[in-house]
Structure formats: structure tokens, C-alpha cells
Amino acid sequence: MSSILNADLHCHSVVSDGTLTPEQLAARASANGVELWALTDHDEIGGQQRALAAARANGMKYLTGTEISVTFAGETVHIVGLGFDAEDPRMAQGLQRTRGGRGQRALEMAEGLARVGIPGAYEGALKFVGNPELISRTHFARFLVETGACHDTHEVFRKYLTEGKPGFVPHRWASLADAVKWITQCGGVAVIAHPGRYNFTANEEYALFTEFKAHGGRAVEVVTGSHTAAEYVEYAGMAREFGLAASRGSDFHSPDESRIDLGTLPYLPGELTPVWDLLTDRIQ
Ligand code: AMP
Ligand code: MN
Ligand code: MN
Ligand code: MN
């Protein structure tokens, strides 16, 4: 297939930290002209059947998806999985293991916020949670906006939820090796999500790409809602240097919070191999 395809292979529903249902996302993607879609909830595949059915109902092709949280070189890195067999129990088991620590982490986040004069954040965040196994920083951010502590979720992250701030609790997620293994052993392709977002040195970033590739990873997000136009060029270069295919996805979470809507990013640069070319037999 051509790189001139309106593929959106990264977004979130109420099954993780988005505010729309899989059906609402599918309708919105289709209305925006998306031809090939994937729902990639954080550490979850509970929305996959609904997303596939909704993609079909809206005339879109579909790839299964998830976005796995990984700890690499002391930072959280996200690895998107596409086109895996969502019925394979090894994927569900791996994801369940990595989701496990979220409840305790959320309680500790609330303690940190209480210490700076924001009580009740655990209960407050829970009101925004669609999936009890997936309480995330985003749900805390929505609560802090609701209370008026901050104007928007970006401000909450900046002031309260990032490294060194009162509501930040370090967490050990899956290993890079495990995340890539869960995806590839279930027939999918592993993709480095939004590489421009990590605070890595050049050496650490080189190590991430090298180890990812050594574990069997095959693609990188080049055109994502998290990248600037300069980063499209930079990571197109990294895709070429490391022999990786390229992916495209908005990372849409919510009509009220996301800058970039589903299906509205530029096309992939023509000289790259689109990730969907590696997945022709997995498209549903
Ligand atoms: P968690 O998996 O609980 O650590 O939450 C991570 C999620 O928080 C990401 O997937 C984003 O949706 C959101 N997030 C992270 N950093 C920011 C930020 N600076 N502004 C807004 N949302 C953010
Ligand atoms: Mn998110
Ligand atoms: Mn991410
Ligand atoms: Mn995401």
C-alpha cells in the first residue's frame, strides 16, 4: 500500500485514559477520513472487539492495537503494538501483569497531593476512570482541572504529575524486551511511540533504538501528534538509519484535551516503508 493513506494507528478510549468510547472514536475517525484505524489503549486490549466491530460499521480497515508502558534507562517509554492476535492469552497475561501496580501507585500519588493541600484526589480521579484496572495520571489531571486547581491537564502535568512534582510516583513498568516479545510472539509489529517525547541523551536514544531492534522491534512513529514538523524529519532519518518502518497516529485522547484530531496529521514521508506494509495479512 502507499504511504498516502489516511491511517491513524494511535488513540485512546475510555478503556484507558481517553474520554470517548471505541464506537465514538470510530465514528469520529471515519468522519475525518481515516481509512485504516487502530485503537491503542494503554496496557489494555479490552476495547479491541468493539473497535473492530465499529471500524467495520464505519467502513474502515482495522489493525489491533495497544500501547505498552516500558521502563528503559530510568524513563517511561511507550511501545505500540499493532496487528497482534488479540485472542492470544500471552498478550492478555503480559498486559495484566504490567497493569497490576497502578492501584497502589494511585494511592501514593493521592498521598503526595494531599501533602500539598489537595485532599481526596484518589476518589476524585476514580470518578473519571472507565476501567478500574487502568487508573492513570490523566484521570488525576482531569480531577485537578475539575477542582479548579489548574486550567487544563497540561498545566496539571507540569505542576503536579511529572518527575520531582508532588503527585509523581516513580513506577517500574514492563521491560523493553518483554513488551516487544508480547507483541511479536502474538504476530504483531512493535513500534516505538513518539520518540521525540523522551528526555534521553543522544546516547540513550541510540541505545533505545538499538536494543528495540535487537529484540525484534520493526517500526517507529514518525508522524504523531506529539512531534513537531522538525521531529518528523528527524525521526524519518532515524527510521532510515535503523531500517525501521514508519507509523502515523494522532494519539487522540479527548475532544476537549487533544490538540490534534483523529486522521488530521500529514501523510508519512514517501521514502519510508509504512508500517502497514509489514501487516498486510493482519489488516481486518
Ligand atoms: P500514566 O500511564 O498513568 O503514567 O499516564 C500517562 C499518560 O499521561 C499519557 O499517556 C498521556 O495521556 C498523559 N500525559 C503525560 N504527560 C502529559 C502532559 N505533559 N500533558 C498532558 N498529558 C500528559
Ligand atoms: Mn494517555
Ligand atoms: Mn504515549
Ligand atoms: Mn498514547
Side-chain angles (χ1 to χ4, degrees):
M1 269 186 278
S2 158
S3 57
I4 308 298
L5 178 76
N6 194 340
D8 195 323
L9 305 179
H10 190 152
C11 68
H12 300 273
S13 77
V14 291
V15 174
S16 62
D17 62 348
T19 62
L20 301 185
T21 62
E23 291 79 12
Q24 289 169 326
L25 286 167
R28 191 177 181 102
S30 171
N32 288 352
V34 171
E35 297 159 277
L36 174 65
W37 180 51
L39 172 65
T40 56
D41 278 310
H42 295 285
D43 303 323
E44 256 292 8
I45 52 171
Q48 292 303 305
Q49 282 188 359
R50 287 169 64 186
L52 171 60
R56 290 207 170 126
N58 285 278
M60 294 184 293
K61 297 202 166 81
Y62 190 73
L63 282 167
T64 55
T66 186
E67 181 178 22
I68 305 179
S69 314
V70 159
T71 300
F72 182 84
E75 267 231 47
T76 300
V77 164
H78 287 167
I79 300 295
V80 162
L82 296 173
F84 52 84
D85 174 5
E87 305 298 320
D88 191 313
R90 292 173 295 182
M91 176 62 85
Q93 283 158 11
L95 294 182
Q96 190 172 20
R97 181 142 53 90
T98 171
R99 280 197 303 270
R102 281 184 180 268
Q104 180 59 30
R105 169 192 187 233
L107 288 168
E108 291 171 29
M109 286 173 64
E111 283 170 22
L113 291 168
R115 280 195 288 274
V116 295
I118 300 172
Y122 179 73
E123 295 73 16
L126 273 185
K127 285 190 303 178
F128 293 91
V129 167
N131 171 359
E133 282 189 47
L134 213 114
I135 182 162
S136 107
R137 284 186 290 163
T138 314
H139 303 113
F140 281 85
R142 291 185 185 133
F143 170 65
L144 266 72
V145 171
E146 183 195 54
T147 64
C150 292
H151 291 294
D152 60 38
T153 54
H154 297 286
E155 185 187 347
V156 182
F157 273 90
R158 203 167 58 244
K159 290 187 175 162
Y160 293 104
L161 299 182
T162 42
E163 181 122 35
K165 299 299 159 61
F168 183 79
V169 175
H171 193 75
R172 186 146 195 96
W173 302 107
S175 69
L176 180 64
D178 277 349
V180 175
K181 183 178 78 185
W182 297 337
I183 296 162
T184 52
Q185 75 186 355
C186 298
V189 167
V191 187
I192 300 175
H194 43 62
R197 257 188 35 196
Y198 311 126
N199 294 315
F200 286 139
T201 63
N203 280 346
E204 286 168 337
E205 183 177 75
Y206 191 87
L208 170 66
F209 276 70
T210 305
E211 290 187 31
F212 173 74
K213 183 135 191 190
H215 291 310
R218 296 180 69 196
V220 57
E221 285 185 348
V222 171
V223 175
T224 131
S226 301
H227 282 176
T228 62
E231 286 169 331
Y232 299 159
V233 177
E234 179 182 350
Y235 289 101
M238 290 289 275
R240 273 195 302 274
E241 180 179 346
F242 284 87
L244 296 171
S247 191
R248 173 183 192 261
S250 58
D251 207 357
F252 182 82
H253 282 72
S254 163
D256 302 324
E257 297 164 10
S258 297
R259 244 177 345 105
I260 307 285
D261 206 341
L262 288 153
T264 62
L265 287 167
Y267 290 121
L268 282 179
E271 76 276 15
L272 301 176
T273 301
V275 67
W276 47 90
D277 276 5
L278 307 181
L279 289 162
T280 45
D281 58 335
R282 313 293 305 180
I283 293 174
Q284 303 185 69

